[in-house]
Structures are given as C-alpha cells and as structure tokens.
Amino acid sequence: MELTTTMITAAVTSMLFFWFTLYNVMSIAWPQKSPEWNCRMVTFVHATAIVIMSYVFGFHYNPWPFTHPGGKSTLYETLTIVICLGYFLFDFGWCVWYFNSESATMLAHHVLSIGMLLMALGFGVSGTEVGATIFGSEMSNPMLQLRYFMKESGWKDSYLYEVNDLVFMLTFFVCRACIGSYFLYCELTHPRPRLEFKIGAIGLYLVSWVFLVNIFQFAVHKYRKMFLAWRKKRQLKMAALMNGNKIIGGLAVDNQTCCTNGHSTPTEEMLRQD
C-alpha cells in the first residue's frame, strides 16, 4: 500500500493528538502528581511500545539494518516512525511550554530526532536503520523513567533502585557507545543511504556521547560516594572490634553497657524481637 503525503500528515497529526490526550487523561486521573510525572508516564508508555514495535518491524521481519540500510521503507516501518514522530512532537512541545525543564542537549536531541523522522517519512527510505536507531535509543528509556518514579515515591534507598540504576547505565553504554559506534560505521560506509541521513546519524551520535559523558560523571560521583561511605563504616567496625566492643546494628557498644548483671539491654531485646 502506497501512502500519500496527506495520509502520512494525517497519521502524524493523529498520533500527536493521541499522546497529548493521554497526557491530559493522566493529569485528570492523578491531579496530585506533577506535570513532569504525567509527562514521564507518557514517555514510559511510548518507550515500551516503540521498543517492541521497532524490534518486531525493524529486526524480526526486515533485512539486517547493519548490512542493508537505505532501502525503501515498508508500511510497518512507516507506522513505527509515525508513532514515534507524534510522540517527539508532543514531548518537544511540552519541554518548550515548561521552559527550563530540560537541558539544551535534550532539546537538541529532540530536534535532530524530529528531523531524521521527517526525512524518513518525506523520502520514503531508510526506514530500516531509522527503526533500528529508535530501538537502540529507546531501549534504556523505560529504566530512566522508572528511576524517576522510584525516586519520587521514596524508593531511592532500595536495592531495586540501585539495580535499576546499574541496568540503565549499562544498557545506555552498550546500545549507544558499543553497538551505536559500529552502526554509525555501517551507515557511513554503505553507498545506499542518502547524505542527509549520514549527517543526521553523526549528529545523533555526538549528542549520545554528550549524554554518555554526563552519565559517566554521575556514575563516578555516585559509586565513589558509596565506596567512601562503605570504607568509613568498615573502618569504624574494625576499630570497635580492636577496642573489645560489640557491633550491634552497625554500632559499636561497650561490653559493660551491653551485658549488665546478666540482663539483655533494650537494643538486644529489639534485635531479638525482630
């Protein structure tokens, strides 16, 4: 089925309206939540759906994007791009409306993404590698949104929060730095893709590296802080043991205070009840 420009424009407009409506429904359903929470809920829904679609239509039923880029877009690739473009238009509008809610790097990423998606729809080609790019770019997005939800819900000190953080950083690094570097090489060296897509790919790749540097700096600060806290706690325990004290609940307790006249202290009683 050949899609006309009018049909594609109507489809993109419909998807923009869909994401905007979903955001407003969530705002009405959860009025106690902030606009950012509701926008991130929309982002989570989009990321989850688009990762599945881009995998099924971009890898499972299509030529391998690393070896066959630049071909004519299929109907399913076009559908994936339309849904994604509608979301990016919505999210970019939200970022502009709530000024200073996102960094300049994120806005640049949105502009480049919208441009690449528009080119894919306008030229009707390169749906294969654009879909693969969507898959790799959005793969880590659900974990990023879950991180925000857990942080806002008071789960920041939980093991689940730490595991999600680690999985997010590893997924982002593997998809963008490792696979993304090789994918960019395949795109640039293949003769079929148009020059516009190669330039756009370089732009998105550079933006990804800005994100990677920021994540690396965050990871170094986070895990260095955790290591120093662990080392300090360990040193305190070792010093307490060398002084002949007991360690109860991570605290050093003097032996005479801990056991007086053969009776348990309130701390030991609490530990025994737990």
Side-chain angles (χ1 to χ4, degrees), residues 32-38 40 144-157 161:
Q32 72 277 13
K33 299 297 184 181
S34 65
E36 182 177 2
W37 176 287
N38 294 320
R40 285 180 179 269
L144 179 63
Q145 308 314 320
L146 285 175
R147 181 181 190 275
Y148 172 84
F149 297 143
M150 286 191 286
K151 182 178 180 181
E152 292 297 310
S153 301
W155 286 27
K156 186 177 180 181
D157 296 325
Y161 181 88

mmCIF file of all heavy atoms in Angstrom, residues 32-38 40 144-157 161:
data_model
loop_
_atom_site.group_PDB
_atom_site.id
_atom_site.type_symbol
_atom_site.label_atom_id
_atom_site.label_comp_id
_atom_site.label_asym_id
_atom_site.label_seq_id
_atom_site.Cartn_x
_atom_site.Cartn_y
_atom_site.Cartn_z
ATOM 1 N N GLN A 32 -2.874 14.987 41.769
ATOM 2 C CA GLN A 32 -1.874 15.239 42.807
ATOM 3 C C GLN A 32 -0.451 15.112 42.296
ATOM 4 O O GLN A 32 0.495 15.548 42.944
ATOM 5 C CB GLN A 32 -2.081 14.279 43.995
ATOM 6 C CG GLN A 32 -1.701 12.830 43.726
ATOM 7 C CD GLN A 32 -2.792 12.046 43.035
ATOM 8 O OE1 GLN A 32 -3.750 12.615 42.528
ATOM 9 N NE2 GLN A 32 -2.660 10.719 43.032
ATOM 10 N N LYS A 33 -0.288 14.519 41.109
ATOM 11 C CA LYS A 33 1.037 14.353 40.532
ATOM 12 C C LYS A 33 1.436 15.603 39.751
ATOM 13 O O LYS A 33 0.592 16.340 39.246
ATOM 14 C CB LYS A 33 1.075 13.132 39.603
ATOM 15 C CG LYS A 33 0.769 11.805 40.305
ATOM 16 C CD LYS A 33 1.802 11.482 41.367
ATOM 17 C CE LYS A 33 1.537 10.107 41.986
ATOM 18 N NZ LYS A 33 2.529 9.798 43.054
ATOM 19 N N SER A 34 2.743 15.786 39.638
ATOM 20 C CA SER A 34 3.267 16.954 38.934
ATOM 21 C C SER A 34 3.147 16.769 37.421
ATOM 22 O O SER A 34 3.016 15.639 36.938
ATOM 23 C CB SER A 34 4.734 17.172 39.300
ATOM 24 O OG SER A 34 5.524 16.082 38.833
ATOM 25 N N PRO A 35 3.195 17.863 36.647
ATOM 26 C CA PRO A 35 3.197 17.733 35.185
ATOM 27 C C PRO A 35 4.342 16.871 34.672
ATOM 28 O O PRO A 35 4.180 16.131 33.703
ATOM 29 C CB PRO A 35 3.334 19.184 34.708
ATOM 30 C CG PRO A 35 2.752 20.001 35.809
ATOM 31 C CD PRO A 35 3.124 19.277 37.071
ATOM 32 N N GLU A 36 5.503 16.946 35.338
ATOM 33 C CA GLU A 36 6.638 16.127 34.902
ATOM 34 C C GLU A 36 6.347 14.642 35.103
ATOM 35 O O GLU A 36 6.702 13.808 34.262
ATOM 36 C CB GLU A 36 7.905 16.506 35.669
ATOM 37 C CG GLU A 36 9.125 15.720 35.209
ATOM 38 C CD GLU A 36 10.398 16.129 35.916
ATOM 39 O OE1 GLU A 36 10.344 17.011 36.799
ATOM 40 O OE2 GLU A 36 11.459 15.556 35.582
ATOM 41 N N TRP A 37 5.701 14.285 36.227
ATOM 42 C CA TRP A 37 5.349 12.886 36.476
ATOM 43 C C TRP A 37 4.451 12.357 35.357
ATOM 44 O O TRP A 37 4.686 11.281 34.807
ATOM 45 C CB TRP A 37 4.653 12.761 37.827
ATOM 46 C CG TRP A 37 4.150 11.381 38.143
ATOM 47 C CD1 TRP A 37 3.068 10.747 37.581
ATOM 48 C CD2 TRP A 37 4.715 10.454 39.081
ATOM 49 N NE1 TRP A 37 2.908 9.497 38.120
ATOM 50 C CE2 TRP A 37 3.900 9.279 39.038
ATOM 51 C CE3 TRP A 37 5.791 10.493 39.957
ATOM 52 C CZ2 TRP A 37 4.160 8.173 39.840
ATOM 53 C CZ3 TRP A 37 6.039 9.385 40.763
ATOM 54 C CH2 TRP A 37 5.242 8.242 40.685
ATOM 55 N N ASN A 38 3.411 13.125 35.016
ATOM 56 C CA ASN A 38 2.468 12.684 33.988
ATOM 57 C C ASN A 38 3.121 12.616 32.612
ATOM 58 O O ASN A 38 2.821 11.717 31.811
ATOM 59 C CB ASN A 38 1.259 13.614 33.970
ATOM 60 C CG ASN A 38 0.438 13.523 35.253
ATOM 61 O OD1 ASN A 38 0.236 12.440 35.794
ATOM 62 N ND2 ASN A 38 -0.013 14.658 35.758
ATOM 63 N N ARG A 40 6.276 11.989 32.092
ATOM 64 C CA ARG A 40 7.148 10.817 32.117
ATOM 65 C C ARG A 40 6.346 9.519 32.020
ATOM 66 O O ARG A 40 6.843 8.521 31.506
ATOM 67 C CB ARG A 40 8.006 10.818 33.384
ATOM 68 C CG ARG A 40 9.147 11.832 33.341
ATOM 69 C CD ARG A 40 9.964 11.789 34.618
ATOM 70 N NE ARG A 40 11.075 12.725 34.590
ATOM 71 C CZ ARG A 40 12.297 12.454 34.157
ATOM 72 N NH1 ARG A 40 12.566 11.247 33.696
ATOM 73 N NH2 ARG A 40 13.250 13.356 34.191
ATOM 74 N N LEU A 144 15.074 4.664 32.751
ATOM 75 C CA LEU A 144 15.251 6.057 33.164
ATOM 76 C C LEU A 144 13.983 6.598 33.819
ATOM 77 O O LEU A 144 14.041 7.292 34.841
ATOM 78 C CB LEU A 144 15.625 6.910 31.948
ATOM 79 C CG LEU A 144 15.817 8.407 32.202
ATOM 80 C CD1 LEU A 144 16.976 8.646 33.162
ATOM 81 C CD2 LEU A 144 16.057 9.147 30.890
ATOM 82 N N GLN A 145 12.829 6.263 33.243
ATOM 83 C CA GLN A 145 11.569 6.734 33.816
ATOM 84 C C GLN A 145 11.266 6.029 35.134
ATOM 85 O O GLN A 145 10.766 6.663 36.080
ATOM 86 C CB GLN A 145 10.421 6.528 32.820
ATOM 87 C CG GLN A 145 10.662 7.087 31.436
ATOM 88 C CD GLN A 145 11.221 8.505 31.459
ATOM 89 O OE1 GLN A 145 10.815 9.347 32.257
ATOM 90 N NE2 GLN A 145 12.174 8.764 30.560
ATOM 91 N N LEU A 146 11.555 4.732 35.213
ATOM 92 C CA LEU A 146 11.361 4.006 36.474
ATOM 93 C C LEU A 146 12.224 4.600 37.582
ATOM 94 O O LEU A 146 11.806 4.655 38.747
ATOM 95 C CB LEU A 146 11.690 2.534 36.285
ATOM 96 C CG LEU A 146 10.661 1.684 35.523
ATOM 97 C CD1 LEU A 146 11.197 0.275 35.307
ATOM 98 C CD2 LEU A 146 9.328 1.636 36.266
ATOM 99 N N ARG A 147 13.408 5.041 37.224
ATOM 100 C CA ARG A 147 14.294 5.675 38.206
ATOM 101 C C ARG A 147 13.627 6.908 38.812
ATOM 102 O O ARG A 147 13.664 7.116 40.031
ATOM 103 C CB ARG A 147 15.611 6.060 37.525
ATOM 104 C CG ARG A 147 16.620 6.699 38.444
ATOM 105 C CD ARG A 147 17.889 7.072 37.687
ATOM 106 N NE ARG A 147 18.930 7.468 38.599
ATOM 107 C CZ ARG A 147 19.072 8.696 39.077
ATOM 108 N NH1 ARG A 147 18.233 9.657 38.700
ATOM 109 N NH2 ARG A 147 20.053 8.975 39.923
ATOM 110 N N TYR A 148 13.022 7.728 37.959
ATOM 111 C CA TYR A 148 12.334 8.933 38.438
ATOM 112 C C TYR A 148 11.145 8.561 39.321
ATOM 113 O O TYR A 148 10.953 9.142 40.399
ATOM 114 C CB TYR A 148 11.870 9.773 37.245
ATOM 115 C CG TYR A 148 10.993 10.937 37.631
ATOM 116 C CD1 TYR A 148 11.539 12.143 38.051
ATOM 117 C CD2 TYR A 148 9.602 10.833 37.575
ATOM 118 C CE1 TYR A 148 10.745 13.212 38.404
ATOM 119 C CE2 TYR A 148 8.795 11.897 37.923
ATOM 120 C CZ TYR A 148 9.364 13.082 38.338
ATOM 121 O OH TYR A 148 8.559 14.131 38.700
ATOM 122 N N PHE A 149 10.343 7.581 38.900
ATOM 123 C CA PHE A 149 9.162 7.187 39.661
ATOM 124 C C PHE A 149 9.547 6.645 41.036
ATOM 125 O O PHE A 149 8.913 6.974 42.050
ATOM 126 C CB PHE A 149 8.354 6.139 38.897
ATOM 127 C CG PHE A 149 7.807 6.631 37.579
ATOM 128 C CD1 PHE A 149 7.746 5.787 36.482
ATOM 129 C CD2 PHE A 149 7.358 7.928 37.436
ATOM 130 C CE1 PHE A 149 7.244 6.236 35.269
ATOM 131 C CE2 PHE A 149 6.859 8.393 36.231
ATOM 132 C CZ PHE A 149 6.800 7.544 35.142
ATOM 133 N N MET A 150 10.585 5.816 41.092
ATOM 134 C CA MET A 150 11.012 5.264 42.378
ATOM 135 C C MET A 150 11.582 6.351 43.284
ATOM 136 O O MET A 150 11.360 6.341 44.500
ATOM 137 C CB MET A 150 12.045 4.155 42.149
ATOM 138 C CG MET A 150 11.442 2.869 41.624
ATOM 139 S SD MET A 150 12.593 1.463 41.657
ATOM 140 C CE MET A 150 13.658 1.910 40.285
ATOM 141 N N LYS A 151 12.320 7.279 42.691
ATOM 142 C CA LYS A 151 12.893 8.374 43.478
ATOM 143 C C LYS A 151 11.802 9.245 44.082
ATOM 144 O O LYS A 151 11.854 9.615 45.260
ATOM 145 C CB LYS A 151 13.811 9.224 42.590
ATOM 146 C CG LYS A 151 14.507 10.359 43.318
ATOM 147 C CD LYS A 151 15.427 11.110 42.364
ATOM 148 C CE LYS A 151 16.123 12.254 43.080
ATOM 149 N NZ LYS A 151 17.006 13.017 42.164
ATOM 150 N N GLU A 152 10.791 9.562 43.276
ATOM 151 C CA GLU A 152 9.693 10.402 43.755
ATOM 152 C C GLU A 152 8.795 9.658 44.739
ATOM 153 O O GLU A 152 8.091 10.297 45.530
ATOM 154 C CB GLU A 152 8.864 10.887 42.566
ATOM 155 C CG GLU A 152 9.586 11.857 41.651
ATOM 156 C CD GLU A 152 9.948 13.158 42.358
ATOM 157 O OE1 GLU A 152 9.048 13.758 42.994
ATOM 158 O OE2 GLU A 152 11.119 13.562 42.280
ATOM 159 N N SER A 153 8.797 8.331 44.692
ATOM 160 C CA SER A 153 7.929 7.535 45.570
ATOM 161 C C SER A 153 8.629 7.083 46.842
ATOM 162 O O SER A 153 8.076 6.281 47.608
ATOM 163 C CB SER A 153 7.408 6.301 44.806
ATOM 164 O OG SER A 153 6.691 6.700 43.646
ATOM 165 N N GLY A 154 9.865 7.543 47.070
ATOM 166 C CA GLY A 154 10.570 7.228 48.292
ATOM 167 C C GLY A 154 11.324 5.912 48.272
ATOM 168 O O GLY A 154 11.641 5.361 49.322
ATOM 169 N N TRP A 155 11.620 5.396 47.078
ATOM 170 C CA TRP A 155 12.344 4.130 46.959
ATOM 171 C C TRP A 155 13.819 4.340 46.613
ATOM 172 O O TRP A 155 14.495 3.406 46.188
ATOM 173 C CB TRP A 155 11.708 3.268 45.867
ATOM 174 C CG TRP A 155 10.404 2.648 46.248
ATOM 175 C CD1 TRP A 155 9.510 3.121 47.167
ATOM 176 C CD2 TRP A 155 9.847 1.443 45.734
ATOM 177 N NE1 TRP A 155 8.424 2.301 47.242
ATOM 178 C CE2 TRP A 155 8.590 1.263 46.375
ATOM 179 C CE3 TRP A 155 10.261 0.515 44.791
ATOM 180 C CZ2 TRP A 155 7.776 0.181 46.109
ATOM 181 C CZ3 TRP A 155 9.443 -0.566 44.522
ATOM 182 C CH2 TRP A 155 8.225 -0.742 45.172
ATOM 183 N N LYS A 156 14.320 5.528 46.853
ATOM 184 C CA LYS A 156 15.678 5.839 46.428
ATOM 185 C C LYS A 156 16.720 4.997 47.147
ATOM 186 O O LYS A 156 17.793 4.711 46.602
ATOM 187 C CB LYS A 156 15.966 7.325 46.647
ATOM 188 C CG LYS A 156 17.302 7.776 46.091
ATOM 189 C CD LYS A 156 17.516 9.266 46.259
ATOM 190 C CE LYS A 156 18.859 9.694 45.688
ATOM 191 N NZ LYS A 156 19.106 11.148 45.851
ATOM 192 N N ASP A 157 16.451 4.577 48.375
ATOM 193 C CA ASP A 157 17.419 3.811 49.149
ATOM 194 C C ASP A 157 17.211 2.299 49.029
ATOM 195 O O ASP A 157 17.840 1.535 49.764
ATOM 196 C CB ASP A 157 17.338 4.221 50.632
ATOM 197 C CG ASP A 157 17.733 5.675 50.834
ATOM 198 O OD1 ASP A 157 18.632 6.147 50.115
ATOM 199 O OD2 ASP A 157 17.134 6.344 51.695
ATOM 200 N N TYR A 161 16.090 0.151 43.342
ATOM 201 C CA TYR A 161 16.509 1.428 42.747
ATOM 202 C C TYR A 161 17.954 1.336 42.255
ATOM 203 O O TYR A 161 18.278 1.792 41.146
ATOM 204 C CB TYR A 161 16.368 2.539 43.783
ATOM 205 C CG TYR A 161 16.750 3.914 43.292
ATOM 206 C CD1 TYR A 161 15.820 4.739 42.665
ATOM 207 C CD2 TYR A 161 18.054 4.414 43.468
ATOM 208 C CE1 TYR A 161 16.175 6.010 42.216
ATOM 209 C CE2 TYR A 161 18.407 5.663 43.021
ATOM 210 C CZ TYR A 161 17.465 6.463 42.400
ATOM 211 O OH TYR A 161 17.818 7.706 41.950
#
